[in-house]
Amino acid sequence: MSKMHVKMKVNGKEVEGLAEPRTLLIHFLREDLRITGPHIGCETSHCGACTVDMDGKSVKACTVFVGQAQGADITTVEGLVNPDGSLGVIQEMFREHHGLQCGYCTPGMITRAHRLLQENPNPTEEEVRFGLAGNLCRCTGYQNIVKSVLAAADMMNAQKEAAE
Amino acid sequence: MIPAGFEYHRPADIPSALAILQQHGDEARVVAGGHSLIPMMKLRMTFLTHLVDLQDIDLMRGIDIAGGTVTLGAMTTQHELITHDGLAQTLPILREAAHQIADPQVRYMGTVGGNVANGDPGNDMPGLMQCLNAEYELQGPEGTRNVAAREFYEAAYFTARSDEEILTKIRIPVPAAGTGYAYEKQKRKIGDYATAASGVLLRVEGGTCTEASIAMTNLADTPILAVAAGEALVGSTLDDAARAAAVAAAVDAIDPAADNRGPIEFKKHTAGVILRRAIDRAAERAG
Ligand SMILES: Cc1cc2nc3c(=O)[nH]c(=O)nc-3n(C[C@H](O)[C@H](O)[C@H](O)COP(=O)(O)OP(=O)(O)OC[C@H]3O[C@@H](n4cnc5c(N)ncnc54)[C@H](O)[C@@H]3O)c2cc1C
Ligand code: FES
Ligand code: FES
């Protein structure tokens, strides 16, 4: 099969490359662009380790072909840092509240939490759990992940208020 | 897990998409959200050489509520069904059911058209559409036709849609004001298909049930519209005996297979429990 010319925006930068149409977005990101934040856990659409933000939606990049992402605006965990390169709020709260152990699920968790908090800046604990239900963690038992996301919500709201 | 190679197409309108399907016959398949198709391609259980992405076809998007009918573009995602305010008002059962499908990431991509066109008995929307008496609009080389959801499903993965047709819209008659509704599903965990699920609509006037529609999901190789179960409720006061008779009639109408979700007896038992809960909740909401 001939390769197709792929163009998209990743973490604010225009990128392009040649890829076979059967290439999955996760492989294009990791192997062609060397953006290795999004992980491959199950590769069967179940674990959420490969979650990226695509045009304002949390998607499992192992279940999207590059062609479907043609022209899309994509954010990975690398894109959620502050402009000066320091940890963004959600990342910082995961560090502070021990929201990770081995860290394998973390990029997916943080990217999903980012979209969840964009849509619902004041989630209840139950809403956080339901909103993160597409992301599996084999280490933490989830308790500290939920804590981290709730703390991030508080912090983001406080920052917003301070800015107003 | 990488699927076999194919050529990717992204037509801008329906005639162009139909032309590609006609040119390549059963070598070509459309992709909507891809969250049923791509896993099957990765497992190499589905083969195709031309993939036709429908995402640029504007005519297949949008939610319209007018004249007693809800019209959903086939490319409407499950996430959109959940977040649409008008639908939450007019047809809240869609939101209740969509919330029980898969997980957030899958719902951002998975479309209602893909869910009903797929023909997988595990999908939740086909049974729901039978319960609601929805109609599917199909466009093909010969023009446009409409098929009732209740006539659409022939066997697992076999539907009334021909390979060269695209399902473009779903039309749902809005139930009368005060109609009680429920979509109830038993699953092993979030993100799992149903062990048993059931959609129920009930209309109650002056204390008597005047209309009832009941459909069952993943309990046969197609969704099952349990007509006799509905009839057991109509004319009753929705008393305990009528509810039990409806459950017995529905359990009689299903034909589940034993699989990793349990043996046949367990599934029949679960179906009965789920339907009873759905009837109870719909009855509470009716009036
Ligand atoms: C982890 C996981 C869990 C899931 N859990 C559930 C669940 O609990 N309940 C449930 O119902 N579903 C579940 N799904 C399936 C999900 O809802 C799918 O997204 C949905 O079934 C298909 O929609 P799609 O838009 O992704 O279709 P696609 O995968 O793009 O297409 C599915 C099939 O329909 C055909 N098709 C698609 N659109 C059209 C059209 N407009 N006209 C003609 N043919 C068309 C395609 O050619 C293909 O054969 C799950 C999926 C995953 C990955
Ligand atoms: S790697 Fe994509 S969902 Fe697990
Ligand atoms: S921290 Fe190890 S999988 Fe989540």
Side-chain angles (χ1 to χ4, degrees):
Chain A
M1 290 288 148
S2 55
K3 292 194 171 183
M4 60 188 284
H5 187 204
V6 191
K7 276 174 101 165
M8 59 187 84
K9 198 189 225 181
V10 182
N11 297 329
K13 271 194 236 117
E14 299 290 347
V15 297
E16 51 189 308
L18 286 175
E20 281 188 67
R22 63 174 171 167
T23 309
L24 295 161
L25 177 60
I26 188 68
H27 294 134
F28 185 69
L29 291 171
R30 291 179 55 86
E31 287 158 24
D32 292 60
L33 302 180
R34 298 281 164 190
I35 294 173
T36 53
H39 289 163
I40 299 173
C42 64
E43 231 187 342
T44 55
S45 330
H46 286 96
C47 74
C50 62
T51 301
V52 302
D53 202 76
M54 179 168 99
D55 292 331
K57 302 177 289 201
S58 302
V59 303
K60 293 173 176 172
C62 74
T63 315
V64 175
F65 288 126
V66 275
Q68 294 175 286
Q70 181 80 277
D73 188 351
I74 290 176
T75 304
T76 69
V77 72
E78 287 93 339
L80 295 175
V81 294
N82 293 326
D84 67 358
S86 61
L87 293 183
V89 174
I90 306 175
Q91 296 165 333
E92 182 59 33
M93 290 300 105
F94 267 69
R95 194 189 65 76
E96 188 166 323
H97 294 273
H98 301 283
L100 61 146
Q101 287 179 23
C102 80
Y104 203 85
C105 69
T106 315
M109 288 286 179
I110 289 179
T111 314
R112 172 63 196 133
H114 163 72
R115 180 52 45 201
L116 174 69
L117 295 180
Q118 295 296 312
E119 291 180 357
N120 180 0
N122 284 302
T124 62
E125 177 180 334
E126 205 189 325
E127 285 167 342
V128 171
R129 287 182 184 273
F130 192 70
L132 293 183
N135 296 74
L136 301 181
C137 174
R138 294 279 100 145
C139 305
T140 62
Y142 301 98
Q143 196 60 32
N144 285 353
I145 292 176
V146 174
K147 246 194 236 169
S148 305
V149 176
L150 288 169
D154 286 345
M155 180 73 88
M156 286 160 85
N157 289 332
Q159 286 181 351
K160 230 185 283 165
E161 248 174 59
E164 272 161 17
Chain B
M1 285 215 306
I2 297 167
F6 56 83
E7 258 179 64
Y8 175 80
H9 306 262
R10 196 149 146 181
D13 51 41
I14 292 171
S16 323
L18 289 175
I20 302 168
L21 291 181
Q22 257 191 303
Q23 191 186 343
H24 300 288
D26 59 8
E27 301 270 282
R29 281 284 271 279
V30 298
V31 65
H35 274 52
S36 287
L37 184 61
I38 296 174
M40 294 296 271
M41 291 170 69
K42 286 162 73 178
L43 292 167
R44 306 235 174 179
M45 286 162 77
T46 295
F47 290 92
L48 51 88
T49 51
H50 293 269
L51 187 70
V52 185
D53 189 346
L54 302 174
Q55 69 168 295
D56 283 351
I57 304 179
D58 288 338
L59 221 84
M60 289 179 65
R61 294 194 177 275
I63 297 171
D64 184 59
I65 305 172
T69 304
V70 167
T71 306
L72 305 173
M75 292 296 282
T76 303
T77 64
Q78 283 144 188
H79 179 77
E80 287 165 337
L81 293 182
I82 290 172
T83 50
H84 192 275
D85 289 338
L87 276 187
Q89 288 287 320
T90 314
L91 208 53
I93 193 171
L94 282 183
R95 182 170 203 256
E96 182 161 296
H99 253 138
Q100 297 178 67
I101 291 179
D103 59 43
Q105 283 94 323
V106 175
R107 293 194 293 264
Y108 280 107
M109 290 299 284
T111 67
V112 63
N115 200 296
V116 300
N118 197 24
D120 182 340
N123 281 133
D124 286 285
M125 290 293 171
L128 179 63
M129 293 305 163
Q130 291 199 341
C131 175
L132 290 165
N133 199 14
E135 196 174 69
Y136 305 153
E137 181 187 280
L138 303 172
Q139 288 198 31
E142 252 94 84
T144 301
R145 64 186 180 120
N146 293 297
V147 180
R150 293 177 179 177
E151 316 268 302
F152 189 74
Y153 300 95
E154 295 166 353
Y157 299 103
F158 286 92
T159 67
R161 184 182 68 85
S162 79
D163 285 346
E164 292 180 350
E165 285 177 312
I166 295 176
L167 197 156
T168 44
K169 287 189 188 325
I170 296 169
R171 292 198 185 84
I172 307 169
V174 177
T179 301
Y181 67 91
Y183 193 81
E184 182 80 25
K185 174 174 173 181
Q186 169 67 40
K187 51 189 192 259
R188 295 171 302 180
K189 61 172 191 63
I190 281 201
D192 191 21
Y193 291 91
T195 303
S198 153
V200 173
L201 289 182
L202 291 181
R203 188 155 183 220
V204 178
E205 289 168 294
T208 304
C209 175
T210 55
E211 276 174 58
S213 175
I214 295 177
M216 312 294 287
T217 292
N218 216 11
L219 293 161
D221 67 353
T222 61
I224 297 287
L225 183 74
V227 178
E231 283 168 359
L233 296 175
V234 172
S236 79
T237 55
L238 293 177
D239 53 289
D240 201 54
R243 293 182 196 199
V247 167
V251 170
D252 207 42
I254 58 176
D255 183 19
D259 58 19
N260 55 2
R261 292 188 181 81
I264 292 172
E265 277 314 301
F266 173 71
K267 290 197 176 179
K268 286 192 170 176
H269 172 75
T270 310
V273 173
I274 288 304
L275 175 56
R276 180 62 197 247
R277 285 185 196 160
I279 292 174
D280 290 350
R281 194 159 71 241
E284 241 169 68
R285 286 167 168 167

